[in-house]
Amino acid sequence: MKVNTKELLEEIFPPFQLADNRSLLECDFYDTHHRYFDEIDDDYLSAIEISAEGLLLEYNLDWPEFYLKASLEAIRSRSRPHEGIKTWKDVSYEYLYYFGQDCSFLSSEGFKFFLPATFYYFLSTDENKAYMDWFIFRLNSQWEKDCYVFNDDQKNFISEFIKKHYSGWAYI
């Protein structure tokens, strides 16, 4: 493996836009409320007798201040949150730490968007790497659904990564 992990990942996983694919924060909200921010309507709020803001604040989600603020804006406007993530290079370790467990709710393209960031932080930091287990589980459980979005070089990188860092996991 090349010394500069980020250069290698950019070569194999060139950055692309998240576009219409849901983010991990959106998936975390969906996991809690079974709706995305832009699917919350007045009928739903009336049925559960809570305000849009209360939907976030009363559930006491353990989100950092920035993500809570972005989520409050999204729930008020009933639109997608503005998280400042344009490519995988914009994804922070903190983001993966808080929301990585919800990668199973991503579309295949959304999963491909976030996966290089997980590799990068796994290989370049000594921080808690529990988020990576969720991404490996996703690879293991949904590979047949996701494999079409990866090219051969990406599949080889994923396979070599698994062999080196997650022996015993057979996903492909």
Side-chain angles (χ1 to χ4, degrees), residues 100-141:
Q101 68 186 8
D102 290 297
C103 70
S104 63
F105 294 103
L106 292 168
S107 65
S108 294
E109 292 83 4
F111 181 69
K112 181 181 180 179
F113 179 92
F114 286 101
L115 188 61
T118 66
F119 291 147
Y120 176 75
Y121 288 112
F122 185 91
L123 296 171
S124 64
T125 69
D126 290 328
E127 301 288 333
N128 183 325
K129 298 175 182 179
Y131 64 86
M132 193 68 211
D133 292 340
W134 293 104
F135 280 83
I136 297 299
F137 180 77
R138 164 76 184 249
L139 284 168
N140 195 40
S141 63

Side-chain angles (χ1 to χ4, degrees), residues 15-26 80-81 83 85-88 91 95 106-107 109-114:
F16 65 95
Q17 295 289 314
L18 186 59
D20 292 332
N21 296 293
R22 300 285 183 179
S23 68
L24 287 169
L25 174 62
E26 290 176 275
R80 297 185 65 192
E83 301 169 67
I85 297 174
K86 295 190 181 354
T87 69
W88 72 260
V91 176
Y95 190 83
L106 292 168
S107 65
E109 292 83 4
F111 181 69
K112 181 181 180 179
F113 179 92
F114 286 101

Side-chain angles (χ1 to χ4, degrees), residues 12-13 112 143 147-160 171-172:
I12 294 175
F13 292 92
K112 181 181 180 179
W143 181 249
C147 70
Y148 79 94
V149 299
F150 297 101
N151 65 35
D152 290 340
D153 289 339
Q154 293 164 343
K155 290 175 184 176
N156 288 334
F157 183 92
I158 293 167
S159 180
E160 290 301 315
Y171 74 97
I172 297 178

Side-chain angles (χ1 to χ4, degrees), residues 6-50:
K6 197 166 190 176
E7 283 180 15
L8 176 63
L9 285 171
E10 285 183 40
E11 181 181 314
I12 294 175
F13 292 92
F16 65 95
Q17 295 289 314
L18 186 59
D20 292 332
N21 296 293
R22 300 285 183 179
S23 68
L24 287 169
L25 174 62
E26 290 176 275
C27 290
D28 193 57
F29 182 79
Y30 179 86
D31 189 24
T32 303
H33 298 288
H34 307 291
R35 294 181 186 324
Y36 292 108
F37 293 94
D38 54 355
E39 295 174 344
I40 300 297
D41 59 19
D42 292 332
D43 293 336
Y44 177 73
L45 294 172
S46 293
I48 61 173
E49 298 177 348
I50 198 167

